[in-house]
Amino acid sequence: MEEEILYNQSFQIRGRDFVNGGSVSVQIKRILKELGVKPEVVYKVSICCYEAEMNVIMYADLGTLDFTITFDDVIITLEDEGPGIENIELAMQEGYSTATPEIREMGFGAGLGLPNILKNSDDFKINSEVSKGTKLFFKIHLN
Amino acid sequence: MQLKEIINILSCNSKTSETLLDKDINYVYAADMMSDVLKSCKIGSLLITGLVNQQVLQVSEIMDLQGIIFVSGKEPGAEMIEEADCKNIPLLTTDKHMFEVCGILYSNGMRGKEIQQKEENGGRDTLQSVIPDKR
């Protein structure tokens, strides 16, 4: 059954754009707060979005984040063009990372991103094709 | 503990507007990795870090951090200070190092989320999320 969409917006994320890194998630957080969504849901969504957004910035070339609110959920899909993930099972392990020293100097690449999205979301799917890109989907219940 | 009291005991300099300093701090978290902050820091904590870049501010906004103390004499740039002022996030600097800052705050009664929650829970371990409890 198709759920009724109450709000939808798409955002572009450019790879290696560290200066604006996080700005999409901050915008999403503001939208959710303005709509009066419960604080714990706002935090969960914005933490997950931030992790996902930074993954695009750190590893991919370009990403499109689609943000949807239905009666029951906040749904995020993020599709990127980039190197993809060779071993998703490894990438889901806490502490596993392929980050460069440059990324680590920025305070990221601890291998916690994807596990943190999994932990904070109610539904999580990831598909990736090496040399093409990654598609990430997660859902967080509003109640 | 009042933020002004923390500034006093750590000999901090406030880089942002003085009007942002009038607040009470309940939790403290220390890390250089923003990944750790996103995973384990309690919402609304005071952050102690040696990392000075734009990402610290973005993470602070996501996690509603009450302020940032930059250790070891590290200084935020003018642009960062301006942005922090707009976002109402106080930026503080101290010449003291991370270990010293944490030790001083701990000995003055400040706690991270696990210990404080354990104490509130009568000494029992709890598995708590960083997200505030349901109201």
Side-chain angles (χ1 to χ4, degrees):
Chain A
M1 194 180 72
E2 192 91 345
E3 284 187 279
E4 195 179 341
I5 292 169
L6 303 177
Y7 187 96
N8 177 264
Q9 194 172 345
S10 280
F11 301 88
Q12 294 283 311
I13 302 164
R14 279 185 293 136
R16 283 161 285 281
D17 183 10
F18 283 99
V19 177
N20 293 308
S23 55
V24 169
S25 310
V26 167
Q27 278 183 69
I28 288 175
K29 185 183 176 188
R30 284 182 193 151
I31 293 167
L32 291 171
K33 268 175 91 172
E34 276 169 26
L35 292 172
V37 171
K38 279 200 298 193
E40 58 171 304
V41 175
V42 176
Y43 289 127
K44 280 182 180 183
V45 175
S46 31
I47 289 170
C48 290
C49 283
Y50 192 87
E51 296 279 17
E53 184 181 357
M54 288 313 291
N55 276 346
V56 173
I57 286 161
M58 289 188 286
Y59 302 108
D61 301 321
L62 188 71
T64 306
L65 187 151
D66 191 68
F67 164 58
T68 303
I69 306 176
T70 66
F71 270 114
D72 299 318
D73 302 289
V74 175
I75 301 163
I76 306 281
T77 53
L78 208 176
E79 222 169 335
D80 74 43
E81 294 163 23
I85 301 169
E86 227 165 272
N87 188 330
I88 290 178
E89 209 178 311
L90 269 180
M92 289 307 298
Q93 275 178 26
E94 270 197 15
Y96 177 82
S97 174
T98 58
T100 60
E102 185 198 3
I103 291 171
R104 287 177 203 265
E105 265 173 37
M106 312 250 346
F108 293 92
L112 299 172
L114 290 174
N116 204 18
I117 300 175
L118 176 68
K119 187 185 95 181
N120 282 300
S121 60
D122 296 305
D123 191 4
F124 174 91
K125 287 186 192 89
I126 183 166
N127 290 300
S128 191
E129 205 175 323
V130 174
S131 305
K132 282 209 164 156
T134 301
K135 189 174 178 183
L136 183 69
F137 163 93
F138 57 88
K139 194 189 254 192
I140 290 156
H141 300 323
L142 285 169
N143 285 300
Chain B
M1 187 183 267
Q2 287 291 316
L3 185 56
K4 284 184 175 163
E5 216 176 322
I6 291 175
I7 292 170
N8 204 19
I9 56 174
L10 293 173
S11 318
C12 289
N13 286 314
S14 169
K15 312 306 281 186
T16 40
S17 164
E18 295 289 319
T19 57
L20 301 177
L21 303 178
D22 216 1
K23 58 169 90 177
D24 204 24
I25 302 295
N26 294 316
Y27 295 96
V28 183
Y29 191 79
D32 284 345
M33 294 299 279
M34 290 304 106
S35 312
D36 286 328
V37 178
L38 288 162
K39 180 180 172 241
S40 308
C41 177
K42 175 112 177 158
I43 300 291
S45 297
L46 172 72
L47 178 68
I48 302 165
T49 187
L51 187 74
V52 187
N53 65 28
Q54 209 62 22
Q55 293 310 316
V56 182
L57 276 187
Q58 299 279 36
V59 170
S60 300
E61 197 171 355
I62 295 283
M63 305 293 284
D64 280 343
L65 299 184
Q66 293 297 302
I68 307 166
I69 300 179
F70 296 113
V71 297
S72 309
K74 293 180 185 176
E75 293 282 332
E79 207 176 306
M80 192 172 173
I81 294 169
E82 198 180 320
E83 196 178 330
D85 263 322
C86 288
K87 291 179 171 175
N88 294 323
I89 302 168
L91 301 186
L92 308 166
T93 60
T94 176
D95 287 335
K96 292 182 171 50
H97 300 289
M98 177 85 95
F99 177 77
E100 225 182 330
V101 169
C102 295
I104 292 169
L105 290 182
Y106 194 95
S107 63
N108 277 277
M110 292 306 298
R111 295 291 182 264
K113 65 161 178 161
E114 290 88 358
I115 293 176
Q116 183 149 333
Q117 280 170 352
K118 197 173 170 179
E119 284 171 358
E120 283 166 2
N121 205 33
R124 276 173 287 124
D125 275 315
T126 46
L127 270 177
Q128 294 269 3
S129 152
V130 293
I131 313 294
D133 298 332
K134 281 179 190 171
R135 288 185 301 178

